Amino acid sequence: MRLIMIMFDTLTRKYLPNYGNQWVQAPNFRRLAERCTRFDRFYAGSLPCMPARRELHTGKYNFLHRGWGPLEPFDCSVVESLRAKGVYTHLVTDHSHYWEDGGATYHNRYDSWEGFRGQEGDRYVPHDIMPAVPDVRHSLNKSGLSVAQHYRNRTRQKTESQMSGSRTFRAGLDFLREHSEKDRWFLQIECFDPHEPFYVPEKYRSLYDLPGQETLNWPRYGLLPQGDYHEDLKNARREYAALLTLCDSHLGRILDFMDGHDMWKDTALIVNTDHGFLLGEHECLGKNFPPLYDELVHLPFFLHIPGITTGGSQDGLCSTVDVAPTILDLFGCEPSSLGETDGRSLLPLLSCGRPVRDHALFGVHGGYTCYTDGNHVFMKASASKENKPLYEYTMMPTNIRGFFRKEQLSQAVMAPASRFTNGMPCMKIPSKSFYSSWEFGDRLYCPASDPQEERNLLTEENRAFWEGLLQKALRDAGAPGEEYQRLGLRES
């Protein structure tokens, strides 16, 4: 068995033709229908970027105990489990968060890895020489150091072939050429696109009749202010679509190689993402802070398994935490090597139609904690504006680009061993979230009948039912006691 996992960041389901989109040009995503099963009820677990990747490695929900952070010394990684069984593992990526403080332990789990600099605000090209940031950028764009850094990075990415995403896929193809006759390997090709900023060559922008100069290409997160932004949001969506079409071109190069080397008979393929994005839907831009609407958490997911999948779709409920056990199952490795997980292998679902789960959790640490049974989505907000108590459980006290504050560290205590830490003690450190879900309140939606999630179905009559289901799911996942208190739930 060989496995290729192609992961895109911020790949929003509603922009793909596989899920009904009629205007985005993505012919290679369409090609997946010939060989891959399309999953129609696949949900995120923890948002955003690195919390999702921790779940991909461990098969455990991250958001109940931890925000953005690295793999921990007590974590069991699927990559290390594969290596222990003689499976060669290789990562190629331009996702710069892998080599920052809050993510620096992921890529080192692989036998080998290649990283390509320059995405987003990656501290790459020296920014003490200030770049020329176009003054035509829209007022809803992000500002600050990361934007200046982005424009400095672009001085080394002036052509499509120089772009870090293109270099990532070239490196993936290099690995495939060298390993096309070898067995038992896992290749992860991870592309930061179509994550914002939506930087894309003109030949792709021209497909969508975009203005000659970039406008709203790096939306800042938040609620839309007062004003008429209809045309600007339309341009932002087209900027995103143009970048997705570039991603589609990258995907096509891998599919062409698999076709040309008859790899479908002995090589599995996963195409996935971590979360979606809001571009004006629900009067919001970005992710993390608003209710976790369908656009953010209902994800595209495609899987090819030789001898099992021949196209078609699957509507069994699945989650990001199911990916790691599935990978182990593909290589005949015991899922127990990950410890006690929240995930389940998807192979029984595909081979004999046996459901994997009857519910899934998803959320942001210190934000919404959500439950879905595949038909309804219950979003539980913080019970108070203060959004307390909230703690981080960790032995690696780092955030995205830095260490925890000294005030936090001075209040750290040792927490006893738990299911989450695989039986090891760790630090319990007070935390504060950037966003509070309290102002948005609890929500209940039925996406099948209300795909735009406009009608909140939660009532005083049905509240106890949904809170009871969430309480049980939290107990099963080993949620810490303060999570119940933060949400205003009974622990038992």
Side-chain angles (χ1 to χ4, degrees):
M1 175 61 69
R2 299 100 63 85
L3 170 62
I4 304 168
M5 185 167 84
I6 303 175
M7 185 172 180
F8 297 98
D9 196 299
T10 315
L11 184 62
T12 307
R13 184 178 188 266
K14 65 184 286 185
Y15 283 81
L16 292 178
N18 314 70
Y19 293 96
N21 184 283
Q22 299 298 318
W23 64 275
V24 175
Q25 299 183 42
N28 294 300
F29 276 97
R30 288 185 184 274
R31 286 172 62 187
L32 294 175
E34 302 168 11
R35 304 278 191 173
C36 299
T37 295
R38 183 194 74 223
F39 284 69
D40 291 340
R41 291 198 293 179
F42 193 98
Y43 278 82
S46 299
L47 283 75
C49 300
M50 298 321 290
R53 281 153 185 81
R54 191 173 180 198
E55 293 184 352
L56 285 167
H57 277 256
T58 66
K60 280 184 179 174
Y61 294 119
N62 176 84
F63 75 97
L64 297 173
H65 294 82
R66 185 71 160 96
W68 186 295
L71 278 174
E72 300 275 352
F74 53 74
D75 281 337
C76 299
S77 166
V78 64
V79 175
E80 291 187 315
S81 295
L82 292 177
R83 292 176 63 186
K85 295 296 183 180
V87 178
Y88 193 84
T89 60
H90 185 62
L91 169 70
V92 294
T93 184
D94 62 343
H95 199 292
S96 64
H97 297 315
Y98 274 121
W99 40 90
E100 292 170 342
D101 290 334
T105 56
Y106 291 86
H107 59 279
N108 295 308
R109 310 279 68 79
Y110 298 79
D111 284 297
S112 50
W113 64 277
E114 293 181 78
F116 300 95
R117 303 292 303 274
Q119 280 282 20
E120 197 190 31
D122 179 16
R123 303 323 192 226
Y124 175 39
V125 182
H127 59 250
D128 57 338
I129 300 173
M130 294 304 292
V133 178
D135 58 8
V136 297
R137 299 176 73 248
H138 191 274
S139 62
L140 292 179
N141 271 298
K142 186 176 181 177
S143 59
L145 174 59
S146 289
V147 173
Q149 182 69 68
H150 165 65
Y151 280 93
R152 279 292 284 162
N153 294 344
R154 284 171 56 162
T155 64
R156 299 190 187 178
Q157 300 184 72
K158 294 183 177 180
T159 67
E160 182 176 343
S161 65
Q162 293 174 332
M163 294 178 71
S164 56
S166 300
R167 297 168 66 199
T168 296
F169 275 84
R170 276 204 303 275
L173 286 168
D174 288 342
F175 180 92
L176 291 178
R177 292 187 188 98
E178 294 178 346
H179 291 78
S180 61
E181 302 301 321
K182 292 182 175 290
D183 193 20
R184 292 185 67 75
W185 49 256
F186 169 46
L187 169 64
Q188 184 171 332
I189 303 174
E190 186 170 335
C191 182
F192 190 66
D193 294 331
H195 191 291
E196 75 280 2
F198 310 138
Y199 174 42
V200 62
E202 182 59 31
K203 75 174 186 180
Y204 296 98
R205 298 182 76 249
S206 66
L207 297 173
Y208 297 93
D209 299 319
L210 281 159
Q213 292 180 297
E214 299 166 347
T215 53
L216 181 49
N217 69 342
W218 197 343
R220 69 170 186 264
Y221 297 0
L223 293 171
L224 289 174
Q226 295 295 317
D228 180 10
Y229 298 102
H230 177 77
E231 190 64 25
D232 305 304
L233 293 175
K234 181 179 177 182
N235 283 341
R237 292 165 187 153
R238 291 189 291 176
E239 298 273 9
Y240 175 85
L243 187 52
L244 197 156
T245 299
L246 172 59
C247 292
D248 182 81
S249 175
H250 295 326
L251 173 64
R253 294 157 65 194
I254 304 299
L255 300 184
D256 288 346
F257 189 93
M258 293 183 71
D259 286 345
H261 291 77
D262 197 22
M263 294 181 70
W264 299 101
K265 65 183 181 183
D266 55 15
T267 307
L269 174 68
I270 293 172
V271 180
N272 65 330
T273 191
D274 48 4
H275 52 72
F277 199 74
L278 292 170
L279 281 165
E281 300 89 350
H282 313 282
E283 301 300 309
C284 295
L285 288 171
K287 55 181 185 285
N288 304 350
F289 74 94
L292 296 180
Y293 292 113
D294 199 70
E295 292 90 346
L296 296 174
V297 295
H298 195 179
L299 305 183
F301 187 81
F302 305 91
L303 176 60
H304 166 75
I305 303 175
I308 296 180
T309 57
T310 56
S313 62
Q314 172 57 249
D315 68 353
L317 180 62
C318 307
S319 169
T320 296
V321 293
D322 298 323
V323 174
T326 301
I327 291 174
L328 289 178
D329 205 359
L330 281 170
F331 285 98
C333 302
E334 288 295 325
S336 59
S337 65
L338 296 177
E340 186 179 349
T341 70
D342 299 307
R344 302 291 181 269
S345 172
L346 301 178
L347 267 60
L349 177 65
L350 294 173
S351 60
C352 57
R354 190 165 76 239
V356 170
R357 56 177 61 251
D358 60 11
H359 72 273
L361 294 172
F362 56 88
V364 173
H365 183 68
Y368 270 99
T369 294
C370 307
Y371 172 100
T372 181
D373 61 4
N375 297 310
H376 290 81
V377 172
F378 176 50
M379 305 181 190
K380 186 63 179 168
S382 173
S384 70
K385 187 176 183 179
E386 292 72 27
N387 196 29
K388 294 180 178 179
L390 184 64
Y391 294 89
E392 304 256 9
Y393 288 78
T394 182
M395 293 299 289
M396 307 279 286
T398 59
N399 295 309
I400 299 178
R401 293 190 181 101
F403 299 109
F404 280 23
R405 302 186 312 277
K406 291 181 180 178
E407 309 90 86
Q408 289 178 272
L409 294 173
S410 67
Q411 300 177 66
V413 298
M414 289 302 294
S418 70
R419 174 185 182 274
F420 179 70
T421 62
N422 291 306
M424 301 293 290
C426 74
M427 290 186 289
K428 177 181 177 181
I429 305 175
S431 183
K432 181 180 179 180
S433 64
F434 290 103
Y435 313 106
S436 175
S437 53
W438 173 81
E439 61 183 288
F440 293 103
D442 299 344
R443 308 289 182 97
L444 176 67
Y445 294 112
C446 179
S449 60
D450 177 24
Q452 305 306 317
E453 294 183 328
E454 297 173 327
R455 298 188 298 275
N456 186 355
L457 303 177
L458 192 65
T459 66
E460 290 309 310
E461 289 73 24
N462 64 25
R463 175 183 293 275
F465 173 78
W466 289 103
E467 287 186 346
L469 290 176
L470 176 59
Q471 285 171 311
K472 182 180 184 304
L474 291 175
R475 286 196 298 272
D476 292 344
E482 65 270 7
E483 178 71 355
Y484 299 87
Q485 186 177 346
R486 186 181 73 85
L487 298 173
L489 298 173
R490 298 188 312 276
E491 187 172 351
S492 59

